[in-house]
Every structure is written in structure tokens, then in C-alpha cells.
Amino acid sequence: MTDYKVHRVQFVEFLPKAINSAAVSEKLARVALSREDGSIEIRDPTNDWIIDRVIPGQEGRTVEHVVWLNQRLFTGGLNGEIIEWDLKRLQPLYTQDSYGGPVWCLKFSFSGKYLAAGCEDGSIRVFEVCDSSILYERSLHKQEHRILSLGWSYDNNFIVSGGFDCTLRMYSVKTGAIISRMTSDNLKEGNTMIWSVEILKDMTIVAGDSLGNTQFWDGNSGTLLQSYHSHQADVLAVVVCNQEQTVYSTGVDSKVVQFNLVQVEQRLKWIQSKAVRATNHDTRTLAVYNESLLSGGLDPRFVVYPLENFSSQSFVRYSCLPLPNALQLSHHRNLLCFREQQKLHVWSLKNPEDDATQRRKLFEICNDNADHLICSAISSNGKYLAYSSTAKCRALELHLDPPSVKKLNHVKMQPSTEMCFTPSEEYIVTVGFEAVISLYHLQSGRNGKLKFPDETLVQLPFRFIRVDHDSNYICVVDADSQCYIFSIVDEGFALELPKMNGQVTFCSFQPHTNNVFFATSEKFMYEFDIPDKKFKPWLFDVNKSQIITNMGRLKDKINAIVFNPKVENEMFVQTKEVFGKIIYDSLLPDSGMQKKSLKRKKGGKVLKTNGQFSNIMFFDINVAGDLVIVERPMSIVLENLPSTLKIKKFGS
């Protein structure tokens, strides 16, 4: 690869948050992960678990438990509220007081008619589920300690709870009375906590406790069937697979242990069969989607285990890096902007051999309300900066010498989910919670709106918004990865692109041709010519050759497509661990040829890759042709986590 000047940035202190809870919607084909900062990450298992959308957190709001009812998402937290979420507007649809203080666990009845909440005051509050709300129904018999875990029987008549006093209690939902108690082992110096409960169809109760035991109880008689000291510390989660032949447990020692139901001497017994450790830190939650087991915990990476081959070689850890719009580059001024939950950081990158002495932090801008930031943008010349939460949007003017910030109070912007500046710095373009594109004139504050045709079914929230380098066209991508083009000059809708396979993971305009490029979750790329209203054929051949598909790790998606402003036919493609340079319109080999034989016309390779960087969080090129690469090595992330459980090893 040709030598380039590189700004290798490792000073961005991004600290991903732990996963508190995971839940699966089979009907919607989505997985929800609640994180420690109160945000909720929605992933798409049909497109290799890519992040579909993120519901931002809020200061003072926690999400301890997340549950789905078909396509409806509910959470409970320590502020004592149960929230149903609007997945299009990325904010609460409504909040419901638990009437029992902080909510530690939530569970729907199998009929979907009732929602049970385990509360701090020792009560189980039952709510009736309506079409657009939940209504308080009753409180079951109260106990002294908080409720940590809940399970519903399949006939919806009974609830089993676990708490702080080493006892499983079975309640009659009809009367609210406790009809049986099952007592686990107890420590002399304190109570045993029952962290997780599940109920099988035959009324077998599976429970995980703070002594490291996974226990199987007969719910009909209240007797202990089997107990395994499966873990060296608290068992925080248990989950039952769909056919109820396999159970998994996990906890503080980070092991995921498999139990199988087998026939032994003419009776069925649960046996402990396998144990896999994907991380070294507390694992807090387990869930099952189709043939995959999912886990999450203090290690912020999301882990997927195939059920057919549950082993230490088969699991996959998915990236915990932020979405691509968390960082932006001011290409002319070489300013790097990073968005945290409540702050924007702006640095000046002075020298390609960037280190702590050769960078300069210019701004640290704090959000002045409780809602976490959802999007931000910096203009190409570094003169303007904007940010938005779901409640408030603001534009700023930056003065670099000396550094100062001026609020543009005359630019009254509506909250948005995606934004960018036009290269001319005349407008900021945003999309928010309506199917409308807003153009705010930065000098006058005038607000123009571009509307979609009435017959167009736009799916919120939007994924991307981009403006071409001549400030003529806007490209927006909606939640269903449908792409639309608007004309700034004609002030209206231009066309809707044909649907591409997979989810769009990145899009950008080519600076010399103003064609728009897309990357999808299948690791394919597409180029669309707007005036000709058609896809260009060369990238179809690239996709067929699989040179990009085979670049780096198979599971790593394309996070950026970047063009060299100095060399028209050079384009760069970046994944989490590798970036590659492609010479556009090179002669491609037949699809049957091997990757190593891919040659272009003048004898070089079509694709040249560089894998010397680690956990690439951001990749771009400034106007001077210098590469700007932001890394966040996983070793640094893990060093900032709480210490792991000390496990004695043989011979130590």
C-alpha cells in the first residue's frame, strides 16, 4: 500500500457500558439489550446481530430489566417506573408507577394478558396489559425483602418469586396468597439470594442462587429434585431452551453451564454437561433466539453461542464500539469531534504523528438537560457544531483562536436523530421523528422542509443522512434500509432507490462524481448514479468476486467507505480490525479465481489491506489526503472494568 500520513488516535476515552438485561422478540425478530447507562440497544439477528437502533439513556434513569410482548418493549428500573417504549421515536411511549418502589424484575404471563413486576418493597404488582397501556390490577402477598426474580406457570395461574431470604415462593395469581415455600441452603452470615427463576411446562422450577447453585424443584410438591454447585459464585441468570430439554446458567464466575434432560434408569434427570467461558467478568443475563444462546454482562461485548455446537471454539463476541456517527471529522480544519452521553469533545489534530503532546483539546461542551445525546455533527471548516437529544437540538458557532463557543439562538431546531452540514456550510440538514427533512439556514435561521410523497411508507427512525459535495442532493436511509434522494436545488423529493439486500451499514457520496455509495450487512457495496437513476455495474462484480466479503474477519461489518480527495480512483473500505484500499474500476478476475490472484490492469492488486490497527472506532481522510484512524483497543476497555472473580487454579 502507498505510504500515507496517518493520524493514529488512541486518546478518545470511550468506555462502553455493561449489559444489564437481554430479551428477545420472536415476532419482531429483534433482541433488546439494556446497558448500565440506561440506554437500550436493539439488534437484528437476521442480519448477523447488527445494531438496528439505540434508545438513548437519561441521567437518573436505569434499566434493570427489559421484556418484550410481541412487538412491544417494556422496561423496569430503580426509579420505580415501568416504561413502554416508542421504537420509532426512541423515547417513552408512557410511564407507569410500579406502586412498589424500584423494579428489579419483570415477567409477562404466557397469555400476554398480565405483566408482573418484582419490587423493592417485597411486593409483586400485577398489571393488566391493554392495547395502548398497562393498568394496575392487584398486589400479591407481600414479603419482607425485595423481589429479585419471577417466573410464570404456563397455565398463567401461578407465579414463583425469588428474593433475599433463600426462599422460593409460589403464589396463586387469582387469590394473591402464597400456596407453597421452597427453601434453599442458607449462609450463616447472611441470606441466600435467588437471582433467577424459570418454570417449565411440567411445573419444574429452575433457580439460580448466590451460593453458586443451579437447582431443579418440583413445583407441584415443593420438593428439591436436583441441585448442582455449578458456579463458584452467584448464579445471576438461568434460561430454558425452546424444547425444554436444555437449561443454561451463568453468573459472577462468567461460566455458561449447560444442563441436559436425560433418561437415567427409567426416569428423567437433569445432568450438568458442558461449561464455556467467553469472558472473564460477571455475566448478568441470558436469552435464547432460535438456535442461538445470547449472553451479556460487565464485559460490554455481546456474546452469541450456537446451540447446536455449544463449545469454547464456537461462540462469537460482537463489537461494543459506538455507532459510526459518534465521531466526525472537520476535513479542512482537521478537528475531531467525539460524542459521549452528555458531552461533546473537540480536538485539533496538529501532526500526523499524533500523541499526547501534539494534540490540543479545544472544546468540551456539556448538554444542559437530562436526556443523553443521540446525534451530532461538525461542519467541514470547523466553524459550526450541532447536537441533539430526543428533547432538544442546538447549533453552535466555534471560534478557534482563542477557543470560544457561541450559541446560535436564531437557529431554532427540532430534536433530530440524524444531522449533517452541507459542505458549503450554508445549511444544517436534519431528520427527526417525522417523515420530513429540515434545512436550517445558519445565517438567517430560516427553516425549509422537504417532504416525502404521500404514498411513501417511511419507517422511523432514520439511519443515515448525507449531502453530496456540491450541496445538490440529500440521501436519507430509513429504519428499513430504504434509501431516498432529495434535491436541494429543486427543493423536493427526487427518487426512491431500489431496495438492496441486507441492512445498510454505511453510506457516503463520492467527492468527484457525487455518486452515492452504500455498504450493507452482507458486506456488499453498491454505487448509485443519481442523474442516471441506476446502480453502476462495477461494484456488482466486486461483490461477486467476494474480495470485500473475505476482507478481515467474516463477522466484521463495513463501517466506512471513504474516498481519497487527492486521488479520484482511490476508495477505502474499513471494518473493525482492517481497512483496505480499492482502485476503482480495476479489472476484476472471474469469480472462481482465488483472492491472492486478484490483479488489476497495471499488475497491482485490486484490494490492498492493512491490519496493523486494533478495534478501529473511526476512519476518515482529511483534505490533505492524511488518514485519520481512531482506535480503542479492547485491552484498554477491559482494564477499566471492575476486577474479576479470583478463581483458584490447580497448582497455584
Side-chain angles (χ1 to χ4, degrees), residues 5-153:
K5 293 181 179 180
V6 178
H7 296 267
R8 186 171 189 171
V9 176
Q10 293 185 336
F11 55 75
V12 177
E13 296 181 354
F14 169 67
L15 292 177
K17 304 302 180 182
I19 298 170
N20 281 346
S21 176
V24 170
S25 169
E26 298 279 356
K27 190 167 185 178
L28 193 60
R30 292 294 184 270
V31 174
L33 307 176
S34 68
R35 293 202 177 259
E36 211 164 39
D37 62 353
S39 65
I40 304 169
E41 196 173 282
I42 313 293
R43 288 183 177 257
D44 181 358
T46 63
N47 282 286
D48 198 30
W49 310 96
I50 68 168
I51 297 175
D52 179 62
R53 66 197 71 186
V54 175
I55 298 173
Q58 185 185 79
E59 294 299 294
R61 183 175 69 205
T62 66
V63 178
E64 295 300 316
H65 211 100
V66 56
V67 287
W68 291 94
L69 178 63
N70 297 324
Q71 300 180 48
R72 299 169 66 182
L73 180 65
F74 295 79
T75 62
L78 300 186
N79 58 359
E81 294 177 340
I82 300 169
I83 300 175
E84 181 175 0
W85 292 92
D86 187 331
L87 298 179
K88 294 183 177 181
R89 299 180 66 86
L90 306 179
Q91 54 191 308
L93 192 62
Y94 61 85
T95 61
Q96 169 66 54
D97 197 308
S98 72
Y99 303 117
V103 177
W104 290 97
C105 51
L106 293 171
K107 203 85 167 189
F108 279 104
S109 62
F110 285 91
S111 66
K113 187 177 180 180
Y114 295 104
L115 173 65
C119 300
E120 176 73 21
D121 68 350
S123 65
I124 299 174
R125 309 285 176 163
V126 179
F127 297 83
E128 183 182 0
V129 180
C130 304
D131 290 339
S132 58
S133 65
I134 56 173
L135 299 176
Y136 178 70
E137 177 82 10
R138 68 171 71 91
S139 176
L140 306 187
H141 185 86
K142 193 175 179 181
Q143 54 178 284
E144 291 184 9
H145 305 283
R146 70 176 64 145
I147 306 293
L148 294 175
S149 54
L150 292 171
W152 278 85
S153 64

Side-chain angles (χ1 to χ4, degrees), residues 419-555:
M419 59 171 57
C420 67
F421 289 92
T422 58
S424 63
E425 293 194 334
E426 187 177 2
Y427 295 97
I428 180 169
V429 186
T430 70
V431 286
F433 305 110
E434 306 293 340
V436 173
I437 297 174
S438 296
L439 288 85
Y440 298 94
H441 193 270
L442 292 166
Q443 294 299 322
S444 67
R446 186 179 68 254
N447 179 12
K449 294 187 180 297
L450 305 179
K451 296 184 178 181
F452 289 81
D454 293 338
E455 65 276 10
T456 304
L457 298 176
V458 179
Q459 299 297 319
L460 299 178
F462 290 96
R463 291 178 183 271
F464 298 99
I465 185 166
R466 299 287 189 267
V467 178
D468 76 320
H469 292 259
D470 292 334
S471 300
N472 290 330
Y473 294 106
I474 300 169
C475 175
V476 290
V477 182
D478 73 3
D480 195 36
S481 288
Q482 184 60 58
C483 306
Y484 306 91
I485 304 296
F486 286 79
S487 171
I488 297 176
V489 176
D490 297 333
E491 298 182 346
F493 179 79
L495 72 151
E496 177 179 339
L497 274 63
K499 190 76 165 62
M500 291 167 279
N501 292 329
Q503 296 280 19
V504 173
T505 60
F506 195 82
C507 75
S508 60
F509 279 95
Q510 214 276 6
H512 304 284
T513 65
N514 281 329
N515 290 346
V516 59
F517 283 68
F518 301 93
T520 70
S521 55
E522 296 185 346
K523 231 173 175 179
F524 288 168
M525 296 193 300
Y526 301 89
E527 178 190 8
F528 191 81
D529 187 315
I530 296 174
D532 289 347
K533 298 183 180 180
K534 65 180 182 181
F535 287 105
K536 304 287 282 185
W538 187 73
L539 282 180
F540 288 118
D541 295 332
V542 171
N543 295 336
K544 188 177 180 181
S545 72
Q546 296 191 327
I547 60 172
I548 303 299
T549 307
N550 295 325
M551 187 182 84
R553 299 174 184 174
L554 184 62
K555 298 291 184 181

Side-chain angles (χ1 to χ4, degrees), residues 196-351:
S196 187
V197 173
E198 294 287 346
I199 306 178
L200 278 60
K201 290 178 182 176
D202 64 357
M203 288 299 292
T204 297
I205 299 169
V206 187
D209 66 27
S210 59
L211 300 181
N213 298 321
T214 305
Q215 297 184 326
F216 298 85
W217 295 80
D218 185 338
N220 294 310
S221 63
T223 58
L224 180 64
L225 299 174
Q226 292 168 264
S227 179
Y228 290 95
H229 188 63
S230 52
H231 298 267
Q232 294 175 298
D234 301 47
V235 178
L236 301 179
V238 297
V239 69
V240 181
C241 287
N242 298 332
Q243 302 302 316
E244 297 195 346
Q245 301 296 304
T246 311
V247 167
Y248 294 90
S249 67
T250 191
V252 173
D253 68 356
S254 72
K255 275 194 309 184
V256 179
V257 178
Q258 182 187 70
F259 299 87
N260 295 110
L261 186 62
V262 299
Q263 188 161 345
V264 179
E265 297 179 353
Q266 298 184 340
R267 60 187 290 257
L268 293 174
K269 292 185 65 176
W270 290 95
I271 63 166
Q272 181 176 326
S273 56
K274 293 181 182 179
V276 173
R277 181 177 278 112
T279 74
N280 294 318
H281 293 79
D282 302 15
T283 304
R284 296 174 172 175
T285 184
L286 292 173
V288 173
Y289 177 82
N290 288 347
E291 296 303 315
S292 298
L293 175 69
L294 325 172
S295 75
L298 281 182
D299 187 320
R301 291 170 294 183
F302 170 62
V303 185
V304 178
Y305 313 77
L307 294 179
E308 289 186 359
N309 180 26
F310 180 70
S311 69
S312 58
Q313 288 78 39
S314 62
F315 64 79
V316 178
R317 301 187 194 96
Y318 283 85
S319 172
C320 55
L321 295 176
L323 292 173
N325 68 1
L327 289 117
Q328 298 99 27
L329 180 68
S330 173
H331 296 86
H332 288 83
R333 290 291 184 90
N334 221 24
L335 304 181
L336 180 67
C337 178
F338 169 57
R339 185 182 71 253
E340 286 188 303
Q341 288 92 340
Q342 289 289 81
K343 293 181 180 180
L344 290 171
H345 305 268
V346 181
W347 294 272
S348 173
L349 305 181
K350 290 291 185 182
N351 192 297

Side-chain angles (χ1 to χ4, degrees), residues 566-617:
K566 295 291 188 181
V567 183
E568 183 172 345
N569 67 341
E570 283 189 2
M571 59 184 290
F572 290 78
V573 181
Q574 176 252 321
T575 67
K576 185 168 73 76
E577 301 292 343
V578 176
F579 68 89
K581 182 179 74 173
I582 301 175
I583 304 302
Y584 183 82
D585 214 16
S586 300
L587 180 65
L588 291 165
D590 295 333
S591 59
M593 296 180 67
Q594 297 298 315
K595 181 180 177 181
K596 64 181 180 180
S597 66
L598 301 178
K599 304 292 183 181
R600 64 184 177 95
K601 293 177 181 178
K602 294 185 178 180
K605 291 184 178 179
V606 173
L607 173 70
K608 296 182 179 181
T609 61
N610 185 312
Q612 71 184 75
F613 299 88
S614 173
N615 242 30
I616 301 173
M617 195 161 66

